[in-house]
């Protein structure tokens, strides 16, 4: 009987090790996939909401200075949007926005920022999600999460569900 217990312990040990290795491998794949998705999303931002100088890929933080969105880089330099009118609203404080609302051709994009979030903790700028407005005016709001790759039914991680947008001039901002 003791031989059986010893034998089971010996076979379980390598299984535990195999499981830990598999968990590590899956975690590394997930991290790699998240990095690819974030890079793709930032490439999209560079195309649709380009900065005057630099790339969204290199941004370390976003802040709102007066009525302008500024992107700060690791070397301390900063840049605004090439088209400053694309920044329309934010949630949270100007120094540490929870989200930034951009608009191009009547469609909104929301950058959800959370440096402690599930995804934002892996991103230098803390981008938790990039949400694309799918609905046109007069229809119910529909958003697509570029990071999660799915339609957002419950926008609990973003401001659109709480109607908390503050326009860059300080007033309320309502999605049309």
């Amino acid at each position: 009987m003791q031989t059986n217990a010893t034998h089971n312990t010996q076979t379980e040990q390598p299984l535990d090790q195999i499981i830990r290795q598999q968990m590590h491998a899956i975690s590394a794949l997930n991290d790699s996939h998240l990095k690819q998705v974030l890079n793709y999303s930032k490439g999209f931002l560079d195309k649709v909401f380009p900065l005057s100088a630099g790339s969204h890929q290199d941004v370390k933080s976003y802040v709102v200075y007066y009525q302008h969105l500024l992107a700060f880089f690791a070397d301390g330099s900063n840049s605004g949007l090439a088209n400053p009118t694309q920044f329309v609203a934010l949630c949270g404080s100007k120094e540490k926005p929870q989200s930034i609302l951009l608009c191009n051709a009547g469609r909104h994009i929301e950058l959800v920022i959370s440096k402690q979030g599930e995804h934002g903790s892996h991103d230098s700028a803390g981008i938790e999600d990039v949400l694309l407005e799918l609905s046109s005016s007069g229809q119910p709001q529909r958003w697509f999460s570029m990071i999660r790759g799915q339609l957002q039914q419950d926008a609990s991680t973003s401001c659109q569900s709480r109607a908390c947008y503050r326009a860059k001039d300080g007033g309320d901002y309502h999605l049309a």
Side-chain angles (χ1 to χ4, degrees), residues 1-173:
M1 187 124 176
Q2 200 169 31
T3 1
N4 252 353
T6 305
H7 179 69
N8 284 344
T9 305
Q10 289 174 348
T11 58
E12 287 175 17
Q13 188 110 9
L15 182 58
D16 286 346
Q17 185 178 7
I18 291 169
I19 289 171
R20 279 193 299 277
Q21 288 171 345
Q22 294 306 307
M23 288 173 57
H24 179 71
I26 294 296
S27 179
L29 285 171
N30 285 338
D31 290 347
S32 174
H33 179 256
L34 176 61
K35 184 175 178 158
Q36 288 176 340
V37 171
L38 281 166
N39 285 340
Y40 181 85
S41 298
K42 289 178 179 186
F44 167 78
L45 293 172
D46 284 337
K47 288 178 191 170
V48 181
F49 302 99
L51 298 171
S52 294
S55 166
H56 288 279
Q57 300 281 353
D58 303 319
V59 172
K60 298 299 177 200
S61 67
Y62 293 96
V63 299
V64 177
Y65 184 70
Y66 291 96
Q67 295 184 17
H68 298 278
L69 177 66
L70 292 180
F72 281 85
F73 304 100
D75 66 0
S77 65
N78 65 68
S79 175
L81 292 170
N83 179 355
T85 62
Q86 290 180 316
F87 166 62
V88 294
L90 73 145
C91 289
S93 71
K94 289 183 171 189
E95 299 80 25
K96 290 187 179 185
Q98 293 173 311
S99 73
I100 296 165
L101 195 64
L102 305 172
C103 189
N104 185 334
R107 296 286 174 128
H108 293 93
I109 306 298
E110 182 177 0
L111 299 181
V112 180
I113 301 171
S114 174
K115 291 200 180 231
Q116 289 77 37
E118 177 184 356
H119 304 114
S121 62
H122 297 280
D123 180 58
S124 60
I127 294 178
E128 179 70 17
D129 208 344
V130 178
L131 299 171
L132 310 176
E133 181 184 34
L134 299 179
S135 28
S136 52
S137 62
Q139 295 181 352
Q141 292 296 315
R142 294 179 53 218
W143 296 79
F144 179 79
S145 166
M146 288 186 76
I147 303 301
R148 290 174 177 80
Q150 62 191 18
L151 191 62
Q152 288 292 106
Q153 299 299 337
D154 174 21
S156 60
T157 62
S158 66
C159 285
Q160 1 109 1
S161 65
R162 299 187 303 267
C164 67
Y165 294 118
R166 186 176 53 193
K168 60 184 178 180
D169 66 4
D172 290 340
Y173 187 89

